[in-house]
């Protein structure tokens, strides 16, 4: 089966537009995102974008979906190449911190920002965000449980709590890095997780100092 080149180019263009939308949303907020503003940033006509997204809400929902895909590509996929257990948990955190440190998004973290923006706004956009947050939490808990099952974390561990602590380190890192010394902030976030995992893991050789 051959893929129409126009379809492939169209998909690439749509992805590029949504990448711009994700970045722009970290600056102006997801609610502040509009077709007119996005068209101005891209230097294209609003009518061209309107053919893809017929409303502001449709654009917002597509932007959330693209942010999820971007997160999976840049953070989740690299982590899954690490061995299961505590090394994978560490690799996930490292990939997240690297994503933040690279300043891929000018306003920090799309999800940290939108969580604050939409936590009291009911509707389809909040529902889509809540779904994404729920999947991320479930994924973190699954990785922690895998480490428990492998004997790399203690039996009886409060799995949801450790997943929460890992996520909190990431959120704190990206938020504090916008106002304070980012190098120190990211270093503390990395060391914080390493210390926590090494205190729990019976085999410290799995978590050497200074290695990802």
């Amino acid at each position: 089966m051959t893929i129409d080149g126009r379809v492939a180019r169209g998909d690439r263009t749509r992805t590029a537009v949504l990448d711009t939308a994700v970045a722009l949303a970290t600056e102006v907020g997801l609610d502040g995102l509009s077709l007119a503003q996005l068209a101005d940033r891209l230097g294209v006509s609003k009518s061209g974008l309107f053919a893809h997204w017929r409303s502001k809400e449709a654009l917002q929902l597509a932007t959330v979906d693209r942010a999820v895909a971007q997160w999976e590509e840049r953070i989740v996929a690299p982590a899954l190449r690490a061995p299961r257990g505590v090394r994978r948990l560490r690799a996930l955190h490292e990939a997240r911190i690297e994503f933040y440190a690279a300043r891929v998004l000018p306003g920090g973290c799309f999800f940290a920002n939108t969580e604050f923006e939409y936590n009291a706004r009911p509707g389809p956009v909040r529902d889509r965000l809540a779904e994404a947050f729920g999947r991320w939490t479930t994924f973190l808990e699954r990785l922690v449980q895998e480490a428990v099952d492998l004997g790399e974390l203690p039996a009886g561990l409060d799995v949801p709590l450790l997943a929460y602590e890992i996520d909190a380190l990431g959120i704190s890192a990206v938020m504090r890095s916008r106002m304070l010394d980012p190098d120190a902030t990211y270093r503390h976030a990395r060391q914080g997780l390493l210390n926590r995992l090494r205190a729990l893991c019976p085999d410290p050789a799995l978590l050497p100092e200074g290695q990802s």
Side-chain angles (χ1 to χ4, degrees):
M1 181 178 67
T2 59
I3 299 175
D4 191 318
R6 291 170 299 179
V7 173
R9 286 193 298 273
D11 289 343
R12 287 195 297 270
T13 298
R14 188 176 188 276
T15 296
V17 169
L18 288 175
D19 280 342
T20 301
V22 171
L24 184 58
T26 67
E27 296 179 276
V28 303
L30 191 56
D31 189 57
L33 185 66
S34 68
L35 289 167
Q37 197 170 31
L38 183 58
D40 183 63
R41 176 64 63 92
L42 290 165
V44 301
S45 68
K46 179 181 175 181
S47 60
L49 298 180
F50 190 74
H52 294 280
W53 304 285
R54 304 302 294 265
S55 68
K56 176 177 177 176
E57 183 176 276
L59 174 62
Q60 290 171 320
L61 293 172
T63 301
V64 173
D65 291 343
R66 178 56 197 155
V68 170
Q70 189 182 75
W71 187 270
E72 291 173 348
E73 293 162 5
R74 300 292 295 265
I75 297 170
V76 174
L80 291 178
R81 292 195 286 268
R84 289 191 308 147
V86 292
R87 287 170 292 181
R88 183 169 292 180
L89 282 170
R90 188 181 184 187
L92 183 71
H93 188 64
E94 289 285 338
R96 182 178 188 176
I97 298 302
E98 284 298 325
F99 181 69
Y100 294 151
R103 299 271 173 157
V104 175
L105 301 177
C109 178
F110 177 89
F111 294 105
N113 293 352
T114 53
E115 184 172 4
F116 285 109
E117 186 182 3
Y118 275 86
N119 61 13
R121 295 186 184 187
V125 176
R126 183 186 185 281
D127 292 344
R128 189 69 60 87
L129 286 166
E131 181 184 349
F133 295 142
R135 290 200 306 270
W136 170 244
T137 299
T138 299
F139 176 70
L140 273 175
E141 292 177 359
R142 178 168 66 82
L143 295 195
V144 174
Q145 186 62 56
E146 285 178 354
V148 172
D149 294 342
L150 288 168
E152 295 181 5
L153 291 175
L157 177 74
D158 189 333
V159 169
L161 178 58
L162 182 58
Y164 176 89
E165 291 171 341
I166 294 169
D167 194 38
L169 279 168
I171 292 172
S172 178
V174 72
M175 300 304 284
R176 291 173 67 87
S177 71
R178 312 305 295 182
M179 293 290 188
L180 303 175
D181 178 1
D183 291 337
T185 298
Y186 296 140
R187 184 172 66 252
H188 293 159
R190 289 184 168 104
Q191 192 65 45
L193 180 67
L194 179 59
N195 292 348
R196 185 76 175 102
L197 292 179
R198 293 189 83 181
L200 293 168
C201 182
D203 183 1
L206 294 174
L207 297 163
E209 191 81 34
Q211 295 183 19
S212 299

